[in-house]
Amino acid sequence: DTAVSQTPKYLVTQMGNDKSIKCEQNLGHDTMYWYKQDSKKFLKIMFSYNNKELIINETVPNRFSPKSPDKAHLNLHINSLELGDSAVYFCASSQDGTGSVVTQYFGPGTRLLVL
Amino acid sequence: GQSLEQPSEVTAVEGAIVQINCTYQTSGFYGLSWYQQHDGGAPTFLSYNALDGLEETGRFSSFLSRSDSYGYLLLQELQMKDSASYFCAVAGGYNKLIFGAGTRLAVHP
C-alpha cells in the first residue's frame, strides 16, 4: 500500500551510460514531480507533470527527459550520465489545484552514483 | 527571484523546545510548508500555513507572518527521534514548491 514508490532504490553506473528511474503513485493525485537532492541536501525541483502534461521544466540539461505515460506514473531517463549527476532523485505527487502544491508526498528516493 | 533562509544547524536536548526560523522572498505566495527528512529517508510533510498565525499539530507548531515574510517551526518536548533535517518551503507559483537549504536538528540526551 505504498503511496509513492520508486525503482530502483540504488543505481551505480559508469559515466556515459543511459539509465531510467521509474515512479508510481497510488494516491489518485494529478500532479507529479522530480526533485534532485545533492550532497548538501539541497532539494531542487526538476520537472512537474499535471495529468501527463509537462508544466514545469526547470533549468535541467536536456540529457534528462521525463515521461508520464499516465497520471499515476512519471519516469525519468538520463542520457550520457556525468559525475555531477550523482545525487538522490525523489519523485513526489500532490493533488491538483492552487495551494495543493504545498502538500507533497515523496517517494523513498533513488540514490544515483556515477563512477 | 525566490529564496528562503533558515539556520543550517540547531542543537537541543531531549525534552526541550526548539524553534526553527525561516524567512522567504518570493514573487507569488500560496503558503509556507515544513518538511522533515531523516537521514537516508524521504522528505515528509509536517505542516502548512496559508494565513497568519499559529497552526498546532501535536508536539509541532508552525507560525506564519506574511507581512514579515517569516515563519517558524516549533518543536516541543523534543525526542531523540526528532533528530532530522527540517525544510521550509514556499509555493511561489502554480505547482512549484521552493525549498530552503534545510536545518539539521540534533537532539542530545
Side-chain angles (χ1 to χ4, degrees), chain B residues 29-73:
Chain B
F29 183 77
Y30 294 107
L32 182 71
S33 295
W34 289 92
Y35 284 77
Q36 179 192 59
Q37 185 180 26
H38 287 99
D39 284 346
T44 303
F45 172 77
L46 284 179
S47 69
Y48 163 56
N49 295 69
L51 303 175
D52 289 355
L54 191 68
E55 294 280 342
E56 297 181 64
T57 310
R59 295 186 297 113
F60 294 0
S61 304
S62 57
F63 171 83
L64 175 65
S65 168
R66 287 176 299 170
S67 60
D68 296 322
S69 297
Y70 163 76
Y72 65 72
L73 180 69

Side-chain angles (χ1 to χ4, degrees), chain A residues 15-85:
Chain A
M15 260 194 330
N17 284 350
D18 303 338
K19 290 293 178 186
S20 291
I21 308 171
K22 295 186 175 183
C23 178
E24 177 181 359
Q25 55 95 4
N26 62 6
L27 297 167
H29 290 166
D30 291 310
T31 307
M32 297 184 73
Y33 314 81
W34 277 114
Y35 287 88
K36 179 181 180 180
Q37 187 171 47
D38 61 24
S39 56
K40 295 185 179 179
K41 302 204 94 174
F42 187 63
L43 198 59
K44 183 168 169 49
I45 185 154
M46 301 172 68
F47 302 102
S48 172
Y49 270 73
N50 179 264
N51 236 333
K52 303 191 297 176
E53 298 291 326
L54 179 66
I55 55 172
I56 292 175
N57 185 349
E58 292 294 286
T59 311
V60 177
N62 57 17
R63 298 182 294 104
F64 290 78
S65 50
K67 190 169 288 187
S68 181
D70 56 62
K71 72 174 193 176
H73 295 84
L74 180 62
N75 304 322
L76 183 66
H77 188 75
I78 316 171
N79 289 323
S80 304
L81 277 156
E82 300 178 357
L83 294 177
D85 297 332

Side-chain angles (χ1 to χ4, degrees), chain B residues 5-10 19-23 34 86 101-104:
Chain B
E5 296 274 344
Q6 55 180 125
S8 58
E9 288 184 30
V10 173
Q19 178 174 312
I20 300 173
N21 298 321
C22 175
T23 56
W34 289 92
Y86 292 85
T103 298
R104 190 171 183 85

